[in-house]
Structure formats: structure tokens, C-alpha cells
Amino acid sequence: MASAVDEYPATTPEAVHELRRLFFDKHKDDVEKEIYDRRDVERFEKDDLYVGLFLRARYNHVELALEAIHESLAWRKEIAIREISHENLLHEYHELGAIHFRGKDKCGRSLLWVTAGKHKKNHALLLEQKRFLAWHFEQFFQSHPGEELVIVMDASSAGVSNVDMEFITAIITFCKTYFPSILAYQLVYQLPWVLQFVWKIVKSWLPPKAVARIKFVGPKEIGDYIDEKDRPKRLGGLDTWEYSYEGPAGKATVPAH
């Protein structure tokens, strides 16, 4: 059941304050050299919840949390995530609808749908694909601080041509490091047998706790996590909604509280 997913551990105010102090002691030069976006540094200085998410994501292992903070903040500056907007993303990705929010799981967590069959590997556009994915994560991360989401990867129509290990790596890194404690779990729906090799590779990259957050489901099992009303008809649900992009005025947005 969805409610049985392993919870991230709690933190204490003292542990959060100590982590913040250790980070600024260790990365004082990086801050001065503006390796990080100043706006992110300011948030890290003031937002205890934000700092605590890194500690929770590393199960209160301080050294691992420090590494993740540096990686996340440096990446945010590198990709200029605060400058990514609906308007400066490729129009084609909005129209495709391979990634979008819709519905909740049985515990009220927002669902981020990834339709693997719509994804095409394109090395030349990999950065744009990552920016599009990052925008979805960032919108949720900023508007739902401290909340978890569920990724539903619909692999039912996927084939070998849809396999993109670099993009899969990006999803893993977003959940593991760049957006700490954001992933409750990931459902992989109807993974074709010809793509089982992908899971074997991915599994080798992940620690046991991360592996446990990935659930492989079919038509019967998916009902343990998502009610019929929140599942599209193609997944045996009652939701008749179909994704369509109508431009900025009608764009799909992150879920409301």
C-alpha cells in the first residue's frame, strides 16, 4: 500500500542549525566566489525546513548531507533554475505532454506523470529536456515546501527507442540530490519485458533505501496506490481527462494545496 512507504527520518532544530554552520564553514570560499546563486544562499541561511530536507534525505548522515547541499546549490546556479520559466522552455515539450501533474495518490500526494512512450532520446536536446523536467520539480518544490510527490512512469507503450539512460539518470539525481526528500515513491507501470535490462542497470546505481521506493505495478497493483478517480482510463481508472496544451493561458500547473 502507498501508506507503507518508508518515511524519511525526523530532524531536530539543533541538528539543522549545526548542519547550516558546518556547511558555511566548509564552503565559505564557494559562497564568496558565487559558486551558488545568492538567492539560494539566502534561503539556506533563513529556511530551517529547507536545510532539514537535506538532512532527512540522507537519513541524518551529516557528511552525506553536506555533499548533497553543495551539489544541489552548485547545480542550481549552473542550470540557472531560477530563470527557467514556462515561456523559455521549448514549446514542443509543452505540447507533447510527456511530463505533467495530475491527481493524487491514496495518501494525498501529488502525482507527476511521465509517459515513457512519448520520450525520444535526443542528445542535442538533452539539456532542454532536463530543463523541462527541472522546471516541473522546481515549481512543486517552491510551492509545496517539505511535501513529497509521487512519480508515475507509464511504461506500457515504451520500447527500446524510448530508452534514455541519461534522462533516467537525471530523474534519479533530481530526486536523490537536487530536490531533497521530494520523492515519496515511484511507480513504474507495465514495464515491458524487453526493457527489464534497464531496471537491472538502474538498480545497480541505487542504495537499498532508494530501490525500495521504486514499485513495479500492473493493472491490479496500481489500485493499491491510486484510486480509480485519479487514474486515467488507459490505466483502468475513471479519469477521462486528456492532456492538451493551450498555451501559457491554459498551461497545466503544479497541483494546488
Side-chain angles (χ1 to χ4, degrees):
M1 298 290 291
S3 58
V5 175
D6 184 37
E7 298 288 340
Y8 294 105
T11 61
T12 65
E14 294 78 15
V16 168
H17 296 160
E18 179 65 5
L19 180 65
R20 179 186 285 119
R21 183 190 67 78
L22 290 171
F23 175 76
F24 283 119
D25 285 351
K26 183 174 183 179
H27 293 282
K28 179 181 178 181
D29 290 344
D30 290 332
V31 172
E32 293 177 350
K33 293 176 183 177
E34 298 186 345
I35 299 298
Y36 319 123
D37 188 308
R38 184 60 200 172
R39 292 165 292 184
D40 289 330
V41 174
E42 289 175 354
R43 181 182 183 187
F44 196 82
E45 290 174 332
K46 301 174 182 177
D47 190 341
D48 287 356
L49 174 60
Y50 182 48
V51 177
L53 292 175
F54 288 97
L55 201 54
R56 294 182 65 211
R58 291 299 182 270
Y59 289 83
N60 290 321
H61 192 299
V62 173
E63 286 302 319
L64 293 180
L66 288 171
E67 292 175 9
I69 294 163
H70 168 70
E71 289 182 38
S72 177
L73 296 188
W75 170 80
R76 291 176 65 83
K77 174 70 177 290
E78 178 185 355
I79 201 173
I81 195 164
R82 286 180 175 269
E83 315 310 325
I84 299 176
S85 68
H86 181 274
E87 289 73 23
N88 62 29
L89 292 165
L90 283 182
H91 182 78
E92 290 82 351
Y93 292 133
H94 289 297
E95 288 190 323
L96 186 62
I99 301 172
H100 63 272
F101 282 100
R102 176 74 176 175
K104 307 278 186 178
D105 80 343
K106 286 190 170 183
C107 292
R109 305 180 185 101
S110 297
L111 303 176
L112 179 61
W113 295 85
V114 179
T115 306
K118 292 184 177 182
H119 179 83
K120 298 297 181 183
K121 183 175 181 178
N122 188 328
H123 185 73
L125 292 176
L126 180 61
L127 178 58
E128 290 300 322
Q129 292 171 337
K130 288 181 178 180
R131 290 178 74 247
F132 190 73
L133 180 66
W135 178 73
H136 280 80
F137 271 77
E138 177 73 357
Q139 293 293 301
F140 182 87
F141 198 64
Q142 295 291 353
S143 61
H144 296 70
E147 292 187 24
E148 299 172 1
L149 56 74
V150 174
I151 295 176
V152 186
M153 181 171 287
D154 180 3
S156 59
S157 61
V160 175
S161 65
N162 302 116
V163 175
D164 186 345
M165 299 309 294
E166 289 183 284
F167 192 71
I168 291 173
T169 301
I171 295 176
I172 292 171
T173 308
F174 284 14
C175 296
K176 179 182 177 184
T177 303
Y178 298 158
F179 299 93
S181 305
I182 198 172
L183 181 69
Y185 58 93
Q186 176 173 332
L187 298 180
V188 181
Y189 180 77
Q190 292 283 73
L191 183 70
W193 70 267
V194 294
L195 299 183
Q196 294 293 326
F197 75 94
V198 177
W199 167 237
K200 291 181 180 179
I201 295 172
V202 171
K203 186 177 181 179
S204 70
W205 297 343
L206 301 173
K209 288 183 181 297
V211 171
R213 290 184 183 275
I214 301 177
K215 316 290 183 182
F216 292 85
V217 296
K220 287 186 177 180
E221 298 84 1
I222 196 169
D224 292 339
Y225 299 90
I226 307 173
D227 283 326
E228 285 185 323
K229 65 181 179 60
D230 286 302
R231 296 201 312 270
K233 293 190 70 174
R234 70 178 187 278
L235 271 67
L238 301 175
D239 189 3
T240 59
W241 178 84
E242 294 288 343
Y243 178 91
S244 64
Y245 177 64
E246 300 173 0
K251 66 186 179 185
T253 59
V254 295
H257 283 282

